[in-house]
Amino acid sequence: ESAARRALAARGMTEAVTFSFMKRETADLFGFADEALVVDNPISADLDAMRPSILPNLLEAAHRNADRGYPDVALFEVGPEYAGDGEDGQAIVAAAIRTGQHDPRHWNVPQRDVDAWDAKADAYAALEAAGAPVANMQVTTDAPAWFHPGRSGVFRLGPNALAVFGDIHPAVLRAMDIDGPAVGMVVNLPSIPPVRKKKGSGGAAARPLL
């Protein structure tokens, strides 16, 4: 978690801390599927479901920034997502979004919209920092439905999905009343295999001859 956090901060992103709850209608856009995760007594009507993804919380934070005149945002959060109320229903992920223009305004630097390649690079950097065997990863095109089907992908190690990335689907942005472009990625940190120690790396270090 710490390594992924440092890697994303080094890429110029700002860390955010958001609620583990969200509006049920928004949760439905991001794969909400377990009624057990509906909150019986929410602290607010807009926080009545456990979040199935951190992405919508970050997108809403970016939207608030845009309303205040800051449309170019790069945010990340390391925290839990919820797929069910069982023991395996919670996973710690590193999620990030970018909106608006990739580069700050400068008279001699051409600006461009953020794109799926930016989200892919963010995911790759977090995976590499967290110790994933990035040289062995493959990219497939079966990202979840809240990503653009032609501008998204999944980093896989065999059948194991390590991360998803891409453009947020335009229909999702419209439903959230967010002006694009917006891209995002999610790294499933528990899915990263542990780093194997090299043979002979344990034990006390050899002492030099005097």
Side-chain angles (χ1 to χ4, degrees), residues 6-47:
R6 289 194 299 269
L8 293 173
R11 289 182 56 78
M13 310 194 86
T14 300
E15 185 172 12
V17 179
T18 66
F19 285 115
S20 291
F21 313 96
M22 64 178 54
K23 185 190 301 185
R24 170 62 189 273
E25 289 79 3
T26 302
D28 287 338
L29 298 172
F30 288 81
F32 188 86
D34 192 338
E35 293 296 324
L37 296 179
V38 175
V39 181
D40 291 334
N41 297 296
I43 59 176
S44 167
D46 290 339
L47 300 172

Side-chain angles (χ1 to χ4, degrees), residues 15 49 51 98 125-126 149 151 153-154 180-181 184 186 193 202 206:
E15 185 172 12
R51 64 185 183 191
R98 292 181 184 269
R151 300 174 186 171
V154 182
V186 179

Side-chain angles (χ1 to χ4, degrees), residues 35-173:
E35 293 296 324
L37 296 179
V38 175
V39 181
D40 291 334
N41 297 296
I43 59 176
S44 167
D46 290 339
L47 300 172
D48 59 346
M50 302 296 288
R51 64 185 183 191
S53 172
I54 296 178
L55 291 178
N57 285 357
L58 296 179
L59 288 167
E60 289 179 346
H63 185 38
R64 290 191 292 271
N65 277 269
D67 287 345
R68 290 169 174 79
Y70 301 97
D72 306 331
V73 173
L75 299 174
F76 78 91
E77 181 175 352
V78 177
E81 293 182 342
Y82 303 91
D85 66 344
E87 292 182 0
D88 58 347
Q90 175 180 320
I92 300 298
V93 305
I97 59 100
R98 292 181 184 269
T99 62
Q101 302 289 314
H102 181 271
D103 300 300
R105 294 180 179 179
H106 189 278
W107 69 272
N108 198 33
V109 177
Q111 288 187 291
R112 65 170 178 82
D113 290 344
V114 294
D115 58 31
W117 297 104
D118 297 317
K120 181 180 181 181
D122 292 334
Y124 187 96
L127 286 165
E128 184 175 38
V134 293
N136 299 326
M137 294 189 309
Q138 296 179 324
V139 177
T140 60
T141 59
D142 53 335
W146 47 93
F147 288 98
H148 192 296
R151 300 174 186 171
S152 58
V154 182
F155 278 121
R156 291 188 178 275
L157 191 63
N160 190 23
L162 302 184
V164 296
F165 62 88
D167 287 20
I168 305 300
H169 199 289
V172 171
L173 295 179

